[in-house]
Amino acid sequence: MNAAVQNTAQSADAGRTVDVTAVIDSAPLGRFQIFSVVLCGLVAMLDGFDTQSVFLVAPVLAEVWNVAPGDFGPIFGAGLVGILCGQFIAGPLSDRYGRRKVILGCTLMFALLTFATAAATSLQMLLLLRFLTGIGLGGATPNIIALTAEFSPQRLRATAITVMFAGFPLGAAIGALISSVIIPAFGWHSVFILGGVIPLVLLAVLAMRLPESVQFLVAAGRPQQEIGALLDRLVPDRERTTGERYVLKEQKLEGFSMLHLFRDGRAMKTLLLWVAFFMSLLMIYFLMSWLPLALKQAGASITSALTASVFLNLGGAIGGIVLGRLIDRLDAAAVLCAGYVIAGVSTALIGQVESHVVTLMTCVFIAGFFTIGGQTAMNALTASIYPTQARATGLGTALAVGRIGSVIGPVVGGLLMAAMVTTEKLFLLSALPAVIACVALLVLRVLLRR
């Protein structure tokens, strides 16, 4: 058996050994932790707004630039490829250099590039800018999830992660709502200008107030005084003794963190998570990217098409919180399996009821609740499977593999739209990934119960 991690920068003290994870797990969720989770949630909101922005302006740009809706498939895909690259890169960087530094760098990157997107004059320029912006967006995601997981006690971890990451669909929903107002008034450029300025304001707050993960500080061998000071802020009422030595009572991982996703019985779990993430994100981004255009093609007004995006993402924000609370109390994989069954049914129904506004919005809301909400809850499940020194890498690679699905989803949607597939068949086909995700999670449930 490998020795427990007891990373300390100074080992001379003879005081008691303090497992920092156990201290956080046994304490209530305090104000400092809540504030830190809120900051991560604000990053998620801006991430959601920015990711959704190009989908929202596409119907307008198709008319302004006189291009076919199907031509936006590569644009949608380029941003998602950028997100994929960012998630592959940022996970290992975070496990090596820290969550905080990577979050700050990624926020700065996507803020500046989003602002620059307002100056795009062609599809080629838009494609390049969305790819580069995606790297920053993708890099932030696994780190805000990992940081939230490490701030939160075990009994509330899934709830904290899903509440925090509900910011992503909430930001997308608010973005859709704001865009429906500012695009007619100020043009499509205004969406990217707003999406660039707000992250720069948040960046200043993050630089001053966002702390590092205390578990990371221990694993990285940072000074005992620095670790103790942060732990005191996280759990102000804890008992203290002089000369405390801070440790992590978990297996020490040596070498490249990516390799540990396939060691110690984690290989099959990792592969099943990748299948579930792939199918989940394929379905989500198919809906996010093509729902407005498909409804507009079916005869809906631009306002109704954008309103459907609001309901989709609002359902996702609420669904993530509800499902997160359920998986803190019940069998996580079983809850997610049931959710994806409902997601598939509600998505298939969208194409059957597009002419009935109330029924349509209901189906869209339920689809968002169990697809986007289910993905948010799956992030929490993933964070619980990997140890500290591989957590961001595990999250980042699962999300990155999922992004391959998110790239394929919009591209396939573009091909189906170009082939003039009916709205009914379009949404029926989009429900199939939910079935595959459900099967993968059922097998994962068997492994986890063992």
Side-chain angles (χ1 to χ4, degrees):
M1 178 182 293
N2 292 329
V5 175
Q6 296 191 2
N7 296 332
T8 62
Q10 302 164 356
S11 58
D13 292 322
R16 68 169 181 144
T17 296
V18 177
D19 178 6
V20 295
T21 303
V23 172
I24 292 173
D25 284 347
S26 62
L29 194 65
R31 290 196 330 187
F32 181 70
Q33 291 158 289
I34 292 171
F35 180 73
S36 300
V37 171
V38 167
L39 289 178
C40 291
L42 291 173
V43 175
M45 285 185 68
L46 295 176
D47 200 336
F49 176 86
D50 202 305
T51 301
Q52 178 87 340
S53 60
V54 71
F55 305 147
L56 299 173
V57 303
V60 177
L61 278 178
E63 295 181 2
V64 173
W65 288 356
N66 194 27
V67 295
D71 291 342
F72 282 91
I75 307 295
F76 297 159
L80 299 173
V81 169
I83 291 173
L84 183 157
C85 294
Q87 288 169 341
F88 263 127
I89 295 167
L93 284 177
S94 171
D95 285 329
R96 184 176 180 88
Y97 299 110
R99 318 320 190 194
R100 184 178 185 275
K101 289 179 181 178
V102 176
I103 290 170
L104 293 176
C106 289
T107 302
L108 176 62
M109 182 177 182
F110 77 69
L112 294 177
L113 287 163
T114 299
F115 193 81
T117 305
T121 56
S122 66
L123 288 175
Q124 293 76 18
M125 186 176 179
L126 185 61
L127 184 147
L128 176 62
L129 286 168
R130 293 314 297 171
F131 169 75
L132 296 174
T133 305
I135 295 175
L137 294 169
T141 304
N143 289 288
I144 57 177
I145 297 170
L147 196 57
T148 299
E150 290 161 3
F151 282 148
S152 308
Q154 176 66 41
R155 66 188 181 279
L156 297 172
R157 189 161 297 156
T159 301
I161 291 172
T162 52
V163 169
M164 179 280 295
F165 208 69
F168 184 93
L170 186 60
I174 292 172
L177 193 60
I178 292 174
S179 297
S180 68
V181 176
I182 65 174
I183 290 175
F186 304 105
W188 65 268
H189 309 81
S190 59
V191 175
F192 296 112
I193 293 172
L194 185 65
V197 170
I198 296 177
L200 291 175
V201 175
L202 178 61
L203 183 64
V205 180
L206 294 173
M208 293 185 292
R209 301 297 300 273
L210 185 68
E212 183 55 89
S213 159
V214 67
Q215 288 96 328
F216 171 81
L217 294 178
V218 175
R222 299 289 283 272
Q224 296 290 287
Q225 185 177 3
E226 180 183 358
I227 297 167
L230 179 56
L231 191 61
D232 288 344
R233 296 181 72 189
L234 288 169
V235 189
D237 297 330
R238 75 182 186 91
E239 293 183 7
R240 303 168 185 79
T241 61
T242 56
E244 289 180 336
R245 293 186 302 114
Y246 303 104
V247 301
L248 290 175
K249 294 289 181 69
E250 63 181 40
Q251 198 176 45
K252 183 175 182 178
L253 306 181
E254 301 290 352
F256 188 43
S257 59
M258 187 80 74
L259 297 177
H260 294 287
L261 306 186
F262 301 94
R263 292 176 177 169
D264 302 315
R266 289 187 286 267
M268 185 57 68
K269 295 173 188 175
T270 294
L271 293 174
L272 289 168
L273 282 171
W274 286 3
V275 171
F277 269 72
F278 180 93
M279 293 299 166
S280 176
L281 285 166
L282 186 154
M283 189 175 182
I284 288 169
Y285 279 87
F286 181 95
L287 290 171
M288 288 179 68
S289 57
W290 291 110
L291 184 63
L293 277 169
L295 292 179
K296 191 170 185 297
Q297 288 263 105
S301 67
I302 185 65
T303 301
S304 294
L306 292 176
T307 301
S309 291
V310 173
F311 274 83
L312 180 74
N313 289 290
L314 185 61
I318 297 171
I321 296 170
V322 173
L323 293 174
R325 195 68 189 126
L326 285 174
I327 67 174
D328 267 334
R329 295 170 174 266
L330 304 173
D331 185 304
V335 170
L336 290 169
C337 284
Y340 280 109
V341 170
I342 300 171
V345 173
S346 58
T347 300
L349 288 174
I350 292 173
Q352 310 295 321
V353 298
E354 77 271 8
S355 59
H356 305 280
V357 176
V358 174
T359 308
L360 170 65
M361 297 304 170
T362 302
C363 288
V364 169
F365 179 87
I366 294 171
F369 189 102
F370 288 105
T371 53
I372 301 174
Q375 175 60 49
T376 304
M378 199 148 57
N379 292 332
L381 172 64
T382 305
S384 70
I385 289 175
Y386 298 109
T388 300
Q389 291 173 284
R391 183 168 292 122
T393 300
L395 282 162
T397 52
L399 286 164
V401 170
R403 291 299 172 183
I404 299 173
S406 73
V407 171
I408 292 173
V411 172
V412 170
L415 294 173
L416 292 173
M417 291 280 284
M420 305 299 289
V421 171
T422 64
T423 307
E424 292 85 352
K425 288 184 179 179
L426 189 70
F427 288 103
L428 184 62
L429 289 171
S430 72
L432 293 177
V435 177
I436 301 173
C438 182
V439 172
L441 287 165
L442 280 173
V443 179
L444 178 63
R445 180 175 181 265
V446 172
L447 295 179
L448 292 174
R449 288 175 68 86
R450 289 178 181 175

